[in-house]
Amino acid sequence: MGSRVYVAVVGAVLVLIVATSALADVTRFGSLVLRGDGGVFPTKLPKHRQAPIAGYVSARLSTADGSHPPAIKEVMVDFDKAFQVNTLGLPVCKSGQLQARDTDDAKKACSEAIVGSGNGEVEVQFEDSAPFTAKGPLVLFNGGVKGGVTTLFIHAYVNVPTPTAIVTAVKITRVAHSRFGLHAVAEIPEIAGGAGSVTGFRFKIKRTFSYRGEKKSFITASCPAGFLFASAQVQFTDGTTMKLGRAIHCTAQG
């Protein structure tokens, strides 16, 4: 069961955070330390209409005392209502097309459904053993929309400690409260039987496609107020909860 873990899910959720946040700081909670950088581009956006954007994010989780960090259990993110995720006309990939495949084979199976890529890192520490680091690629695929829920599949391939393909889903729903319009949830399975923890990742999301003769973008945004917001809650297996808020400046045009 340990192999059914992974930075994949976290990669997925953080990919979503990319759409609304600009990480360029250090967040601390107890002994946990999160360093990150990221943003969206362009930052000059229309005030009242949607425009294509791309985003990137990188982050590293550590502890102030150098101890093995607890594993992430669940991540929930709320996104500014000025952001949209668009999948109409974008090819869909099914979970079964990604199972038991390495990264190259997964890309070949669903090449037209890819919306992002990057890499992730986990630290694994078994009892009475020194910790080791495992790294692997992450690929994000459009899983389509059903019942108002948009699914993103994350395919990951990592040694924990043997090479394993992991396919994880992130669910996105529309909400109508406060200034937020999208809600994303991902539950993180155990890594290496609970011995593994996500310690780093880098991810870029960018995908344009054509539908009925028009050019579309997987993620779009407008800039009605000069800032775009995101709110996240991260729960760890040791009971720790981190609540984060981010705002990125944007310049309204038109």
Side-chain angles (χ1 to χ4, degrees):
M1 289 296 294
S3 64
R4 296 190 57 206
V5 219
Y6 204 4
V7 304
V9 181
V10 176
V13 174
L14 290 168
V15 158
L16 300 174
I17 294 177
V18 159
T20 57
S21 63
L23 298 173
D25 59 2
V26 178
T27 301
R28 298 176 184 271
F29 190 93
S31 66
L32 292 176
V33 182
L34 176 63
R35 294 177 172 84
D37 185 37
V40 299
F41 51 91
T43 56
K44 293 182 179 180
L45 297 166
K47 187 174 184 178
H48 299 297
R49 62 180 177 82
Q50 294 289 303
I53 62 169
Y56 65 94
V57 65
S58 63
R60 180 161 295 278
L61 179 68
S62 61
T63 58
D65 60 4
S67 61
H68 179 65
I72 297 174
K73 181 179 180 180
E74 182 181 70
V75 181
M76 295 183 292
V77 187
D78 288 302
F79 300 95
D80 197 297
K81 62 180 64 176
F83 284 87
Q84 291 184 9
V85 175
N86 309 292
T87 62
L88 183 63
L90 183 63
V92 173
C93 185
K94 297 183 182 300
S95 177
Q97 295 175 272
L98 304 174
Q99 301 288 348
R101 296 176 183 265
D102 63 21
T103 301
D104 289 341
D105 285 344
K107 288 181 177 180
K108 291 177 182 178
C110 291
S111 61
E112 295 301 313
I114 296 174
V115 296
S117 63
N119 56 73
E121 176 184 298
V122 300
E123 180 182 283
V124 181
Q125 184 173 30
F126 295 110
E127 187 175 358
D128 299 326
S129 299
F132 67 89
T133 298
K135 300 179 180 180
L138 306 174
V139 185
L140 178 62
F141 298 88
N142 171 42
V145 181
K146 184 176 182 180
V149 179
T150 299
T151 298
L152 303 179
F153 288 120
I154 299 297
H155 180 278
Y157 200 69
V158 65
N159 293 326
V160 286
T162 59
T164 305
I166 301 98
V167 179
T168 310
V170 176
K171 303 294 184 179
I172 307 171
T173 55
R174 297 196 63 83
V175 295
H177 61 82
S178 185
R179 66 170 297 117
F180 300 110
L182 295 174
H183 180 68
V185 178
E187 294 183 0
I188 316 303
E190 285 187 340
I191 299 174
S197 301
V198 176
T199 53
F201 50 83
R202 298 179 63 86
F203 210 109
K204 179 179 180 180
I205 181 168
K206 180 180 180 181
R207 177 61 196 274
T208 57
F209 57 99
S210 296
Y211 179 63
R212 293 184 176 178
E214 295 185 14
K215 189 175 182 179
K216 303 290 184 178
S217 176
F218 177 65
I219 51 174
T220 64
S222 59
C223 181
F227 288 91
L228 302 168
F229 296 93
S231 176
Q233 179 172 294
V234 183
Q235 295 182 349
F236 293 82
T237 53
D238 67 350
T240 299
T241 298
M242 295 180 71
K243 294 183 178 181
L244 312 171
R246 289 290 183 269
I248 180 171
H249 175 75
C250 60
T251 302
Q253 294 184 322

